[in-house]
Amino acid sequence: MTRRLIPFAAWLLFAFVPGLSGAQTIGAAGWPTERPPRPLAARPVAFPPYQLKTLPNGLQVLAIPWHEEPSVSVRLLIKAGAAQDPADKPGVASLVASLLNQGTATKSAEGIADLVESAGGVLGVGAGNELSYVNAGVIKDKIDVVMALASELVQQPAFEQKEIDRQKQQAISGMRVSYDDPEFLAGVVFDRLIYGFHPYGKPPGGTLDSIARITRNDLVAFHRTWFTPNNSILAIVGDLTSEEMFVAAEKAFGSWPRRDVPAQAQVAPPPPTYRLVVVDKPGAVQTEIRAGNLTLPRTSPKWLDLELLIRVLGGEGANRLFGVLRSDRGLTYGASADLQTFKFSGGFVASTNTRTETTGETLRLVIDEMWRLQREKVDARELRGVKDYFQGSFPLTIETPSAIALQVLNQIFYGLELKDLEQLRERVEAVTVDDLQAAAKEFVKPDRLSIVLVGDASKFVGQLRAQGFNDFETIPIDQLDLTAPTLRKGGSGGSGGSGGSGGSGGSEGSADSAMALVRKVAEAKGGIAVLRALKTVDVQADVTISGQGAPVKMQTRNLVAYPDKFRVEADTPGGRVVQVFAGTDAWIETATGSMNADADARADYQSSAARDLVPLLLNALDGNVPVTQLPDDAAGGATVHVLQFAPASGGPLALLIDPRSFEIRGMRYPAGPAPNAPQAAEFYDDYRDVSGVQVAFRARVERDGVVIDRRITSVRLNAALPPAAFVRKAA
């Protein structure tokens, strides 16, 4: 009796890659492993008590008594930042904030500095995307001094012209330095890509042009509009009672007049869309890399799931990117991934840098890890590591008055429940690997990433094409314009990779349109002449099979001799297994000898051979396989053209075609011979050029409850194959 076989993993050169049933041939590997020491048990966290009160003028006051030392921390947040800048003048909020401590109606900048120093305190001002702030710290005996000063800063800034001119000149000088910094450029261009012209996408510090055009009237108008008590939150933490804190707040800010705040109309950022921008900086010896996509706002109930997932990718406690790029390959000194979260949107970004000569390889590995997140469940040990770090580091975030205030203010600012902060550990512990997998599928979009590379383009664009990144645009650094739709001065598009045009529309096409689309697919695959000249294929790959218990990993080798010979070698945990289909013969080889494939397995082999893409496309072009264009469909959320073929075996199959590049993105076909058989699906990505043929180095197959993920490790085309590859051994 022969083993029951299941075919899997179309290679995009051929679709015949049968695999063995895990129940009969695959066992647990059982290799010994070493693990790091377990972390110490988390210390109990006693979150300090707090009270929240709203003054008659609308100012929210948060009081947190904390008696570890005789000091007090004051944080005042104004709910307006770069997102509220005038559309044509980014940088206003940043400039307003920088001027708060540079003079008031009664004090000069020197007078403010002297007052803070004499009180033995510290003072800071600034602005972010969604807020502006004043922070101060002082011994508790000087609380009235610092509170009165903070009140004067936000209510009566002088905005003297000489200080405005000085701050503008400093901002412009700093910006000129920043625009020569690849790390800074990668960050601001990435934000522009994922958020578009949404306020979150504007450079928060402004641009050289916008800073020069900002006037005193702009600053006064911004301050008058947004700096009001009913648009602010005050937190006081330190060695006072709650009542003493509320009294101090009322004394300093009670007379601050309330004003109406404009309603903020929220425009959704653009949906995630693939775009790869190369900022060309000639002479650079390394490349800054950023890649990510739009995700969710901080207020989403799924925020914690995604936060832990991104930590697995590139954060504390796991950091797959660092492991692959630094530990395994030595391509960088550091790699990370971070979640950007704002009130109304957010995104994630993977960040690293590498030598110019390894740019393509590094980018490919970064994207591979994103595909891996979406397609494979996170290992329970990885999640445990992230949880341990998250829970273990949380007490450090509430060790000082300033840190406590920041944590609680964040909850209030985003409109979140304060009890969520107190129960953070329990909420983290409740997250499962299934929660992370759901977050990956919903929010990580490897096929719709925004990607930014800043470096010497002349040295690495060839690497991009070799790694399958054919669609990109190159912008010289001196032509970069963050305010232009094309990111280029003058509005002209950049040059770079290739990309096809749209093709046919969404209705069913004629036979002529179907054949025209087949030709475009064949040309995108490498060209009709190249495909006809293809005689042999030798592919090695790493394969993971899921859905039959614990995931099983193995190495495989596939040999093809066109037109009708196929061989699959699999080093499974249960031993080496070989499957061969050679014309009319089919057999299986194991350590004990060879055996005939049964009728079902033989039919499966034949159907898989009929789905091989090289002869399928050529036979369709020669008129030997009927083909029809169906209405456009969606695959992974993206629109695709659909070609339906009717090969001699295996029933009809549909190819899913990228309308821009004409690369094959997937395949659908019946999973068995029955008329009502469920559909099997295969998905392809990571195309790379191999001897003129575009090969998908990653594939995923979903069939009969089994999921197979494959990553090619080597490909040889038209190479001599072992003479005995298709010769059957004695039984």
Side-chain angles (χ1 to χ4, degrees):
M1 177 179 178
T2 60
R3 294 169 171 82
R4 182 71 179 97
L5 306 173
I6 56 170
F8 68 88
W11 303 101
L12 270 217
L13 285 171
F14 46 91
F16 174 85
V17 190
L20 295 167
S21 168
Q24 294 181 329
T25 64
I26 296 172
W31 295 104
T33 60
E34 293 185 7
R35 299 184 183 182
R38 292 181 60 83
L40 298 175
R43 291 183 296 147
V45 176
F47 201 85
Y50 51 83
Q51 292 185 40
L52 183 64
K53 178 180 179 179
T54 302
L55 301 185
N57 61 2
L59 177 66
Q60 290 180 288
V61 181
L62 175 69
I64 307 179
W66 191 82
H67 304 292
E68 296 294 324
E69 57 186 44
S71 63
V72 178
S73 174
V74 176
R75 284 179 175 264
L76 179 66
L77 299 187
I78 294 89
K79 301 176 187 177
Q84 285 70 43
D85 278 340
D88 61 338
K89 290 184 179 180
V92 169
S94 177
L95 197 54
V96 167
S98 70
L99 286 160
L100 292 178
N101 63 348
Q102 298 304 305
T104 67
T106 65
K107 296 177 179 66
S108 66
E110 293 80 4
I112 293 171
D114 290 342
L115 180 61
V116 173
E117 183 178 359
S118 65
V122 293
L123 177 70
V125 296
N129 279 79
E130 298 180 299
L131 56 85
S132 302
Y133 63 85
V134 175
N135 298 336
V138 72
I139 59 175
K140 72 173 186 177
D141 292 343
K142 299 292 185 179
I143 180 65
D144 288 341
V145 173
V146 77
M147 292 284 282
L149 178 60
S151 178
E152 187 170 348
L153 295 184
V154 297
Q155 290 192 64
Q156 304 177 61
F159 295 133
E160 291 186 6
Q161 190 61 50
K162 67 175 183 178
E163 292 294 345
I164 294 174
D165 293 341
R166 186 172 66 85
Q167 290 293 323
K168 286 174 63 173
Q169 186 56 50
Q170 287 183 0
I172 290 172
S173 297
M175 203 169 296
R176 285 179 175 146
V177 174
S178 296
Y179 271 67
D180 195 47
D181 178 8
E183 185 175 357
F184 171 84
L185 282 177
V188 295
V189 175
F190 176 81
D191 287 347
R192 244 304 263 113
L193 286 188
I194 66 168
Y195 297 114
F197 284 106
H198 186 277
Y200 296 151
K202 296 184 296 185
T207 66
L208 292 172
D209 173 68
S210 69
I211 291 295
R213 291 187 289 105
I214 292 174
T215 67
R216 185 179 188 278
N217 288 340
D218 296 322
L219 306 178
V220 171
F222 184 93
H223 178 266
R224 183 187 302 116
T225 300
W226 302 109
F227 278 61
T228 66
N230 47 304
N231 194 44
S232 305
I233 311 169
L234 173 67
I236 309 173
V237 185
D239 192 20
L240 299 171
T241 66
S242 295
E243 187 57 34
E244 288 173 322
M245 295 177 185
F246 289 134
V247 169
E250 180 71 45
K251 179 180 178 181
F253 293 96
S255 61
W256 190 5
R258 178 189 186 112
R259 291 193 300 271
D260 291 337
V261 178
Q264 300 181 45
Q266 288 302 316
V267 180
T273 304
Y274 176 82
R275 189 175 181 187
L276 196 167
V277 171
V278 176
V279 179
D280 184 18
K281 191 176 189 297
V285 297
Q286 65 180 22
T287 305
E288 286 288 338
I289 299 175
R290 303 291 183 273
N293 59 254
L294 206 67
T295 55
L296 46 65
R298 176 63 181 86
T299 53
S300 169
K302 299 179 182 179
W303 171 83
L304 185 57
D305 297 346
L306 186 58
E307 170 71 18
L308 296 181
L309 177 76
I310 298 304
R311 288 181 180 233
V312 170
L313 177 64
E316 301 88 347
N319 202 335
R320 288 180 174 180
L321 291 176
F322 186 88
V324 170
L325 299 178
R326 171 60 177 167
S327 302
D328 295 349
R329 306 293 183 94
L331 296 170
T332 182
Y333 284 107
S336 63
D338 298 284
L339 195 59
Q340 303 174 336
T341 44
F342 303 119
K343 270 190 176 181
F344 304 104
S345 187
F348 87 92
V349 55
S351 307
T352 190
N353 53 53
T354 190
R355 303 184 308 278
T356 301
E357 58 269 25
T358 56
T359 298
E361 178 186 4
T362 302
L363 177 60
R364 171 49 57 198
L365 290 170
V366 170
I367 308 307
D368 282 351
E369 288 305 313
M370 295 180 188
W371 280 113
R372 180 184 169 201
L373 271 186
Q374 191 183 67
R375 293 176 169 177
E376 300 176 9
K377 284 186 179 181
V378 168
D379 186 272
R381 284 178 292 179
E382 288 181 296
L383 178 55
R384 182 72 267 158
V386 168
K387 286 182 176 181
D388 288 341
Y389 189 94
F390 200 111
Q391 295 168 323
S393 62
F394 177 64
L396 302 178
T397 68
I398 54 172
E399 281 195 330
T400 66
S402 179
I404 294 168
L406 181 61
Q407 288 281 359
V408 181
L409 278 175
N410 280 338
Q411 296 294 108
I412 298 173
F413 179 80
Y414 289 114
L416 302 172
E417 296 287 341
L418 289 178
K419 64 179 178 63
D420 289 348
L421 191 60
E422 300 178 56
Q423 299 169 359
L424 181 60
R425 280 185 166 176
E426 292 79 4
R427 293 170 55 229
V428 168
E429 196 59 40
V431 176
T432 67
V433 293
D434 290 331
D435 295 329
L436 266 60
Q437 179 72 358
K441 288 183 176 295
E442 183 172 0
F443 299 113
V444 179
K445 308 292 184 184
D447 58 337
R448 283 174 278 169
L449 292 172
S450 294
I451 303 172
V452 179
L453 306 177
V454 182
D456 191 338
S458 67
K459 302 292 179 59
F460 65 72
V461 292
Q463 302 171 35
L464 298 182
R465 297 187 180 96
Q467 294 287 346
F469 300 102
N470 294 312
D471 189 2
F472 59 88
E473 53 197 288
T474 303
I475 303 174
I477 192 169
D478 59 355
Q479 291 296 309
L480 182 66
D481 182 357
L482 295 173
T483 65
T486 61
L487 293 172
R488 178 184 287 264
K489 293 179 180 178
S492 59
S495 61
S498 61
S501 57
S504 57
S507 60
E508 188 167 332
S510 65
D512 288 342
S513 67
M515 290 305 296
L517 186 52
V518 172
R519 291 188 190 93
K520 290 181 179 180
V521 173
E523 290 298 329
K525 195 90 182 83
I528 297 172
V530 171
L531 297 184
R532 291 194 188 279
L534 189 58
K535 303 302 181 185
T536 66
V537 178
D538 184 349
V539 175
Q540 298 185 55
D542 293 331
V543 173
T544 301
I545 306 176
S546 308
Q548 299 175 319
V552 175
K553 299 182 184 294
M554 65 180 72
Q555 287 75 48
T556 64
R557 184 183 184 189
N558 284 58
L559 305 176
V560 180
Y562 289 116
D564 60 357
K565 293 183 174 65
F566 303 84
R567 177 186 177 94
V568 180
E569 303 170 357
D571 292 322
T572 78
R576 185 177 179 82
V577 179
V578 177
Q579 301 165 67
V580 183
F581 180 70
T584 59
D585 201 4
W587 67 90
I588 303 166
E589 297 175 1
T590 66
T592 60
S594 67
M595 64 193 78
N596 289 326
D598 62 23
D600 288 345
R602 188 182 296 270
D604 228 353
Y605 287 176
Q606 191 168 1
S607 297
S608 293
R611 290 194 292 271
D612 184 297
L613 292 173
V614 173
L616 180 70
L617 293 173
L618 295 177
N619 282 329
L621 290 170
D622 294 340
N624 298 324
V625 173
V627 59
T628 306
Q629 184 173 1
L630 302 182
D632 286 356
D633 201 344
T639 300
V640 291
H641 296 326
V642 182
L643 285 173
Q644 181 167 286
F645 296 77
S649 301
L653 69 89
L655 293 187
L656 312 179
I657 314 300
D658 188 304
R660 297 179 63 195
S661 66
F662 300 105
E663 292 174 340
I664 300 172
R665 290 299 172 195
M667 175 190 292
R668 293 194 294 255
Y669 52 87
N676 61 345
Q679 289 283 297
E682 304 181 4
F683 303 98
Y684 318 121
D685 62 82
D686 189 5
Y687 276 91
R688 306 184 195 179
D689 185 287
V690 179
S691 301
V693 179
Q694 292 298 313
V695 180
F697 271 58
R698 291 181 67 97
R700 177 184 178 89
V701 179
E702 300 173 356
R703 175 174 173 172
D704 297 332
V706 176
V707 176
I708 303 98
D709 287 290
R710 174 235 62 202
R711 178 186 291 181
I712 289 178
T713 56
S714 72
V715 182
R716 295 194 306 151
L717 305 182
N718 289 329
L721 302 182
F726 305 103
V727 177
R728 184 170 182 174
K729 294 180 180 179

